[in-house]
Amino acid sequence: MSAKRKYKRRYDSLPTVLLFVLPALIPLIVFWIYPILRTIYLSFTNWDYISPTYKLVGIKNYLSLFRNPRFYEALWHTLVFTAGTLFPTIILGLVLALLLVKNFRGSGILKFIIFSPWITPTVAISIVWSWIYKTDGGIANTILTSLGMSPLKWIASSDTAMLSVIIVTIWKSLGYAMIFYLSALEKVPGELYEAGALDGAHGWRQFVDITLPSISPTTFFLTIITMVNSLQAYDQIQVLTQGGPSGSTRTLLYMYYQLGFNEFNMGQATAVAVVMILLTVGLSLIQFKVSEKWVYY
Amino acid sequence: MAEIILKNVTKEYENGFQAVKNINLEIKDNEFVILVGPSGCGKSTTLRMIAGLEDISDGDLYLDGKRINDVSPQDRDIAMVFQNYALYPHMTVYQNIAYSLKIKKVPKDEIDKRVKDVAASLGLENLLDRRPGQLSGGQKQRVAMGRAIIRHPKAFLMDEPLSNLDAKLRGQMRVEIADLYRRLNTTFIYVTHDQTEAMTLGTKIVVMKDGEIMQIDNPTNLFNYPNNKFVAGFIGTPTMNFFEGEIEEKGDGLILKTRDGFIPLTAEKAAKVREGGWVGKKVTAGIRPEHVELSDQDSAAFRGEVSVFELLGSNAIIYTQCQDDRIIMNTDQTQYQEHGKEIFLKVKEAKLHLFDPETERTITN
């Protein structure tokens, strides 16, 4: 077949291809690609979110953002929050899955209870946790004092507010990680463990040499998902701390919200959003690159 | 090198199902023992009990005179090749082969030397850096064997190692395993449901059914002198023809009366039939397809129509539909018969097998 005919055939089939692709492409364009492009455009303007007109201001928003210490503080909080939720969620999710992978009486109910925070709205969860964290009479402090420890101020103090939000986020996503790990653990071929038993791999050795590599694709998937979820965390911060006290829980996303909807500086807010997109893409790329060394398909 | 003895070994699961029922088996040093039987006969369970991957519910297992029921798998000094190879997917071929030595903390230099020796003997030198996912079925199989060989185990256990390979490769690997056995000169226990593998590889074959041992013998005896109808039917391709008949006196001798004719019994067979008091009684007869011949009407044991003529190259299989039975004949390619043609068949009397129709035990071979 000549190149010209080949090209013609491709060209002929374009309407058919579009017909199949459009149902997926239209929502993608309307709700994702266009808003992203629009956000990038707005980040070069001085729009105040209310006025019908605005001017292009070049990279002014970015320059003032990078000169603003509040931005670096929020970036740092974002990284702390992401790391603080990512590792415990993955590790504890795996531990729970290992404990519950063997069916025993009540294990089904236990799995459901651990998973249930994932399907409960974050706002509802956060309201309940705000009661738990109450300085006077909250369950958290009741437990601490009953264990002979001194009570904490939790969300009321800038020292512990971030920890408090992290705990809520881990608690919420733990069940999700566990469910994925449960399924991954069940899929590890029994023969691998048997071969390992004959080779002399037991206990910790078996876990490190056989289990962990076998479930590495799940670990990778959960790492990406948990990271993205952490970067996008908003509800729990809004309900529990509103970014405070004194900005101690202000992440980039929360800063975006405050800039855009409290301070009516949509130009700078969208600049923060663009930085967040770059951060997410950058972290994901690093993970994909590093994953070549530890993920086995 | 090892001698393995199973004494009254039983495997019963929690739900009460007995996968292996009170079996006794003696495997001598350097023997190539094949456990063969249909699916669910308990052959793999037996192998796994020897490996230590399944607990023994009852009975004793001895390795070189030492009872090893409670010895952990890695301390039994036994290597196993699994049906799906069970290679560690995240390790290279080198790491897969070296893994057991690494766990035993063998010095790196020695591991390297042994891995390279094993790889050379199996033709894996160029694949050492690859992962199992990048290997073909045959290569994976070789790596699995390499992983077993490197340990210098007392015995090799193989659980249907060729069942995932295509027919041609299976043939090649069969030869390689036979060669490996000769080179390593150690005890092999091999599970298969393929009786061709069993016949070609084994020095001793254990035929199992429903958790019980039906017969233990060498391949020739198993083929020529089956203990019962099950073994007679299981060993041999195409499978043995079975048909009903009645023992009758004729002249000085005995005959087996079939629906379409009769088969005279040899003196030796007749003596055994008389000894067992089978004269005048119904029996189940068996004849292998290669012992069936075309005949004229007068001396025929069967009359029927050709249903299929299957040319297999140098030989051909003729399926003949008789009134009650379907008789299979294995003959040479020149004996072409048209579909639907009426033909007469006789059998080689000396090769006739007779079985008790109730117990299915052999009356005479």
Side-chain angles (χ1 to χ4, degrees), chain A residues 70-90:
Chain A
R70 212 167 67 159
F71 166 74
Y72 293 102
E73 200 187 67
L75 180 65
W76 174 244
H77 290 157
T78 305
L79 294 175
V80 168
F81 180 76
T82 305
T85 49
L86 178 64
F87 295 108
T89 302
I90 300 281

Side-chain angles (χ1 to χ4, degrees), chain A residues 191-192 194-202 205 209-210 213 296, chain B residues 48 74 80 82 84 86-88 90 99-100 102-103 131 147 151:
Chain A
E191 278 192 348
L192 283 189
E194 291 179 346
L198 286 162
D199 281 340
H202 291 287
R205 181 113 223 183
D209 288 347
I210 298 172
Y296 309 98
Chain B
R48 291 166 59 80
Q74 89 262 26
M80 183 156 165
F82 293 84
N84 297 318
L87 299 177
Y88 308 118
H90 53 284
Y99 187 59
S100 62
K102 191 181 146 199
I103 287 183
R131 291 234 168 85
R147 188 169 64 174
R151 295 170 51 189

Side-chain angles (χ1 to χ4, degrees), chain A residues 36-106:
Chain A
I36 284 180
L37 295 176
R38 188 77 188 156
T39 301
I40 294 169
Y41 172 71
L42 284 175
S43 72
F44 296 106
T45 70
N46 66 350
W47 190 40
D48 62 5
Y49 185 56
I50 296 164
S51 309
T53 56
Y54 47 82
K55 279 195 297 192
L56 276 170
V57 291
I59 57 166
K60 199 180 141 206
N61 287 326
Y62 289 94
L63 287 177
S64 58
L65 192 68
F66 294 144
R67 279 194 217 110
N68 185 354
R70 212 167 67 159
F71 166 74
Y72 293 102
E73 200 187 67
L75 180 65
W76 174 244
H77 290 157
T78 305
L79 294 175
V80 168
F81 180 76
T82 305
T85 49
L86 178 64
F87 295 108
T89 302
I90 300 281
I91 293 167
L92 293 175
L94 177 57
V95 169
L96 283 173
L98 287 167
L99 290 173
L100 294 173
V101 71
K102 281 200 179 125
N103 284 330
F104 54 87
R105 210 178 155 85

